[in-house]
Amino acid sequence: MGRLSDKIAVVVGAGQTPGDTIGNGRATAIRFAQEGATVVCVDRNAESARETLSMIEREGGSGCVVEADVTREADCQDVVAQSEGRYGRIDVLHNNIGIGRGDGGATGMTEAVWDAIFDTNLKSIMFLCKHALPGMRERGSGVITNISSVAAVCAVGIVAYKTSKAALNAYTHALATANARFGIRANVIMPGLMNTPMAIEGNVAAGADRAELIARRNAQVPLGRQMGTAWDVANAALFLASDEARFITGVNLPVDGGQSARIG
Ligand SMILES: NC(=O)c1ccc[n+]([C@@H]2O[C@H](COP(=O)([O-])OP(=O)(O)OC[C@H]3O[C@@H](n4cnc5c(N)ncnc54)[C@H](O)[C@@H]3O)[C@@H](O)[C@H]2O)c1
């Protein structure tokens, strides 16, 4: 307990896709609060972010909700202004938002799908960092963690999602190298096959058999033939956000049960 004591953490995408399991963003927001952080729960779905905040408050934690569509620069600016206005600073910016809806192979791509995926997975994070960095630089400290995917480095058939996440890895590398002299750390987490609503519910709604889908995903994971959970991502995010990772910046951390280690 207390690994993020007195820290102000902004979790972007702190709500979640509805479903029986917990999502990465919600689990991370809760885990941060359990360790003492005050959590700003940002989501375009304010109701879902409020559910996350209620869960935090039920455990004795605290925070607030900011409704924002972070594909818009003005909303990103507002997220930072509201967080700094209310709490004085942002210690941790955790960018969890990411979508893959409508993605397909190279010949099936539409301009609308490509733009929506890149706007959410990359442009939003660039603008959130653009507006959070000045305060962090002024204070000489700050942590940025961007949620990518092993799709960035593994063979997958979805083109826009993969490319946007690979670009996010490169963007984070640039952030880390340019901001180390200001005492700011920036890292990537690459989740693998996780048992979260985002990964399961959309496919089930599109007609996939739930049990077959889960069994197929489990079978692809080297470690124990079992998908990870959102708590695995949350615990990695907690480590990177905490002072235990004070000498770690510019890394891409897979949380994938060995999926990306399997080469050839
Ligand atoms: N679940 C997996 O198997 C898996 C695997 C690899 C990577 N990831 C990554 O994890 C992240 C999300 O995981 P999750 O389980 O929290 O997903 P989720 O869909 O449950 O939650 C994402 C939240 O982001 C919000 N959001 C989306 N677009 C937004 C926008 N423009 N502005 C504000 N909020 C917005 C949604 O409303 C939702 O509440 C993504 O970056 C995804 O690419 C997930």
Side-chain angles (χ1 to χ4, degrees):
M1 300 290 278
R3 291 159 74 191
L4 296 182
S5 276
D6 303 324
K7 303 281 189 197
I8 308 301
V10 176
V11 177
V12 186
Q16 75 164 66
T17 301
D20 293 339
T21 55
I22 191 162
N24 294 327
R26 175 167 287 171
T28 300
I30 292 171
R31 200 67 194 90
F32 282 3
Q34 286 170 344
E35 295 292 338
T38 299
V39 184
V40 181
C41 299
V42 180
D43 210 290
R44 69 176 168 198
N45 182 342
E47 198 184 321
S48 190
R50 269 194 289 274
E51 276 172 40
T52 304
L53 182 61
S54 299
M55 292 173 173
I56 286 172
E57 289 173 340
R58 275 203 294 277
E59 293 187 3
S62 65
C64 68
V65 166
V66 175
E67 183 175 357
D69 177 351
V70 293
T71 58
R72 302 190 192 126
E73 181 174 9
D75 284 28
C76 296
Q77 200 166 4
D78 186 53
V79 166
V80 172
Q82 285 205 47
S83 305
E84 291 180 340
R86 192 164 177 151
Y87 301 114
R89 64 186 192 280
I90 296 172
D91 296 306
V92 179
L93 173 63
H94 180 90
N95 293 313
N96 171 69
I97 58 274
I99 59 166
R101 210 173 20 257
D103 202 353
T107 55
M109 188 60 59
T110 66
E111 188 175 356
V113 165
W114 181 269
D115 287 348
I117 289 174
F118 269 75
D119 283 358
T120 305
N121 296 7
L122 187 63
K123 191 179 79 174
S124 62
I125 294 174
M126 180 272 292
F127 280 129
L128 286 158
C129 294
K130 172 186 166 182
H131 292 289
L133 279 167
M136 289 181 170
R137 285 181 178 182
E138 208 174 290
R139 287 185 302 281
S141 70
V143 179
I144 296 171
T145 306
N146 294 330
I147 300 302
S148 175
S149 167
V150 290
V153 296
C154 288
V156 291
I158 41 175
V159 169
Y161 184 78
K162 176 184 177 62
T163 315
S164 68
K165 293 296 194 180
L168 180 60
N169 291 5
Y171 172 71
T172 312
H173 185 216
L175 266 187
T177 52
N179 290 282
R181 68 195 170 100
F182 298 106
I184 298 166
R185 301 188 290 106
N187 295 295
V188 153
I189 292 174
M190 298 192 297
L193 292 159
M194 317 308 289
N195 191 357
T196 60
M198 181 203 174
I200 304 296
E201 299 307 329
N203 290 311
V204 170
D209 178 81
R210 183 182 298 273
E212 194 271 328
L213 175 65
I214 289 175
R216 184 157 42 83
R217 287 172 65 91
N218 281 340
Q220 291 174 64
V221 180
L223 199 63
R225 299 283 171 223
Q226 198 72 40
M227 282 185 279
T229 76
W231 299 112
D232 296 313
V233 174
N235 282 319
L238 170 63
F239 167 66
L240 288 175
S242 76
D243 292 341
E244 293 156 36
R246 56 174 286 278
F247 205 52
I248 299 176
T249 194
V251 305
N252 297 341
L253 177 64
V255 177
D256 68 346
Q259 192 190 350
S260 59
R262 203 181 42 192
I263 298 168

